[in-house]
Amino acid sequence: MTEAPSRSTRRQLLSRIGMVAGTAAMYQAMTRLGHAAGSDFTSPPNLSGGKGQSVVILGAGLAGMLAAYELRKAGYKVQILEYQNRSGGRNFTLRGGDRYTELGGGVIDVKFAAGNYVNPGPWRLPYHHHAILHYCREFGVALEPFQQFNMNTWLHSSTTFGGKPQRYRDYMSDFTGYTAELLSKAINQGKLDDPAGKEEREILLEAMRDWGALDRDYRYVKGLHASNRRGFDHEPGGGPDGAPTPSTPFSRDDVMKSGLWAWMAFHMNYEMQPTMFQPVGGMDMIGRGFARQVGDLVTHQAKVSKIAQDDHGVTVSWTDMAHGGATRTTKADFCVCTIPLSILTQMEVEVSDAMLAAIAAVPYASSVKLGLEFKRRFWEEDEAIYGGISFTDQGISQISYPSHGYFSKGPAVLLGGYMFGPAAYDFAGMTPEERVKHGLQQGAALHPQYLKEFSNGVGWAWSRVPWIEGCCGTWSEQARRDHYKTLTTMDRRIVLAGEHASYVGCWQEGALLSSISAVEQLHKRAQGAG
Amino acid sequence: MTEAPSRSTRRQLLSRIGMVAGTAAMYQAMTRLGHAAGSDFTSPPNLSGGKGQSVVILGAGLAGMLAAYELRKAGYKVQILEYQNRSGGRNFTLRGGDRYTELGGGVIDVKFAAGNYVNPGPWRLPYHHHAILHYCREFGVALEPFQQFNMNTWLHSSTTFGGKPQRYRDYMSDFTGYTAELLSKAINQGKLDDPAGKEEREILLEAMRDWGALDRDYRYVKGLHASNRRGFDHEPGGGPDGAPTPSTPFSRDDVMKSGLWAWMAFHMNYEMQPTMFQPVGGMDMIGRGFARQVGDLVTHQAKVSKIAQDDHGVTVSWTDMAHGGATRTTKADFCVCTIPLSILTQMEVEVSDAMLAAIAAVPYASSVKLGLEFKRRFWEEDEAIYGGISFTDQGISQISYPSHGYFSKGPAVLLGGYMFGPAAYDFAGMTPEERVKHGLQQGAALHPQYLKEFSNGVGWAWSRVPWIEGCCGTWSEQARRDHYKTLTTMDRRIVLAGEHASYVGCWQEGALLSSISAVEQLHKRAQGAG
């Protein structure tokens, strides 16, 4: 750098970098607010010695259906009340012919070709989400690999590299190379007081050279060595003219300034690590698997308005929307309530003041997903991208390519955007058609083929979904300290469950783990209650 | 470190590290001797305007079959002579009931359960091997993802971490963390003369903190932040007791000394990057796909002994092993010879002295693969390992878990070892049964379940395979400079093809690319020859 940039230019730059990193951070915010994404599941709950009491379960999402499954097995008399006309909750999938009206009156009209789909809610299963993998096995839900990590996808910063997207592998090679080169330099200049020992310095230099693809002098330079990571200008071939020519690394300045390192960090996250899975045919295959077990217990279109309890039991008041809006009450010995807190706050619930405060303490994140159908898999055919995710600093944040139907002809659907935070509010403020239009415009910066190959699309804004009005519960660390124990501890005859009642928030695994805790608490109470 | 180790201890340590790194390097040696692993394929060869001359092709591996396919399409009269009683060459798959006798008399007797297999040769397809992906599409060979990279597999150094295998994700987190911490320290101490500018220093610090999962003071420490990469002591759960507890990072000393960083570097290699594929049902589905196109042109059990040429054509002498060992000759206008150089050196071939020198200049690597069948998928059921590769500094070098049949019950086959260099010689020196026995003993250091769950296994030593006597051609840089152009340039009426005649050595892609170059040269010659 020949001239130091002015102070304000530097501030601008750092703020832009903060934005890229922020987008990456936002993406994980759901699981990062004082909690995590593993799973302590080891085996299904042991509910032996039950006395056959009755339980009303509110909500036929995964948490509610699992509670029903385990409680009925243990001899309880179970029924489920569900607001929607389908079971599964956020576990669902959009296919051609589906039609939903969102809050504000926008209509989601899905026109995908037969067999194509997008998952507006959960879309992948980490290898360490033992509970959901266990029940998929138990309920015969077929799984296939979800290609989370693909080194041939794009990283796009609108202000670096001339706004041109770059291959993940190129960027990763250069970031790794320059980092290793700098640390080697620090060690070789002998100025660093740590590591102190000659032995460790030698080992570190060896490590940096190998890991960073450095040359003998610990430099990261253009050549076949670096190209064996980032690819070649002329790729190797066969016959007399087969010799490859190396590609040229980016400048260190661009690599670091771009802030794209945030997306390298992203892939190291516990919940984003390979191997991941998805159900064959769409995420709702899991919901259907659960519904095969307990579907007979579900009353659909039951809009709960009040949950009361006394020494003798629980009384739930609800509107029977399937039968002219008749008002009904259901009585049971106990209640498992999986209604999202965003909705529960709008009901009358007879629990302790502390529990009411806990219910009100967890805001729900906004999130938007775009599903775009194109006439052909140009990302595979033109760009050799098979699954995985491209990232951009634009609102859409990412483009994820389907992990199924590889190499097939005909139309295919990709995830054209997945937004949290400000971008989610922006997109939720648009009509469904506008969301698709903006998604197309932004995505075209990564894939010029977008405009020519586009067929149709959907834009799903969770904040406009009537039965949840948000995506999932986002605990602050403070709220977690003040309210989590209360929220998750059974309140006389009522116990809550759902991803919000877990440390694996915003994941289906959290819903299942909370449900197991809930039925274990309920069972203990039921045995004590005699 | 309180005391500096003696000079000889340090040498021992560095030599051990060199060994780990060396094993990793060996693994790639095939593709690293002055060449690379991409592919310059863009489209099939254009052979228009052919005059219908005759071509004899030697070898019905992928190179030979592709040449036959493209030449017949262009109007040539083609026949293939193949030594084995099957087509496909190194593209093949071992299944229960298969039986092979190797050089030295050892018998490979495969006892896998129905549907199980191991690929002793090629076993995966990189996303950038455009030619083989193209022909898989064209010939209707179904592909599925090959899970190359799995962060939940094991890294094992027999002398570090008490000899206990460690999860890749733990090691990666700590290596990244400590590297970032050290570079941050160098920057913060202000002693490093590069980077010189305050702006770049600030950006670098930001990058290191984010990418290394450092705390506010740029330290890599035990906590939820690091555990969100390496996993938790108590994994997060649902309900009141759901709070996770962080895991403890390894010491920097152990991380660096172990030399296991070599396996992190490994996954960055161009030819090892996700997304990769494998044919559904075994690698030989590709060979069968090719054979569906040109199988009618192949004469099996034809043992070539001499390849002669003059101004009028090529004469191949061969023994017809299917018919009592009768001696036969085949004449054609041109010859595409795909016989491995290791075998070709043992024949009489009428080519220039320079070409003979080239044929003799390429040694063939030794390689051994073990296929082990176990009664159940304990790696999935007990350890949540779905596909991917574990690495060890023992002879077996690696254990790769199947990328198909995830979550299924019943017996399954894993790749219990893949050896090059010294270890390959060690294992090739054993009987097939001993190879399996040693593979089991070594593998048990990573998987104690090995001994209880073992069912049966095969040990395949390429140096003992009669039709190749090695694994693939390994060009030295010197040999490449001196002989490659000659080897790959048509010698009057004879042109060579095969992975050895490419810059994508030891990969099927190289065989195809060389074949395309060969038929293009042949076609040009044929047109000129009138």
Side-chain angles (χ1 to χ4, degrees), chain A residues 13 16-17 19-20 154-166 171 254-255 257-261 263 391-394 445-446:
Chain A
L13 177 65
R16 185 167 54 67
I17 288 176
M19 214 181 67
V20 177
W154 299 108
L155 292 180
H156 175 244
S157 153
S158 15
T159 54
T160 325
F161 309 115
K164 277 182 61 180
Q166 302 297 343
Y171 184 82
D254 276 352
V255 167
K257 266 189 192 168
S258 70
L260 293 173
W261 28 262
W263 296 117
F391 295 99
T392 171
D393 57 359
Q394 300 172 101
L446 286 81

Side-chain angles (χ1 to χ4, degrees), chain A residues 387-402:
Chain A
I389 305 176
S390 290
F391 295 99
T392 171
D393 57 359
Q394 300 172 101
I396 55 169
S397 174
Q398 57 182 291
I399 295 172
S400 178
Y401 313 92

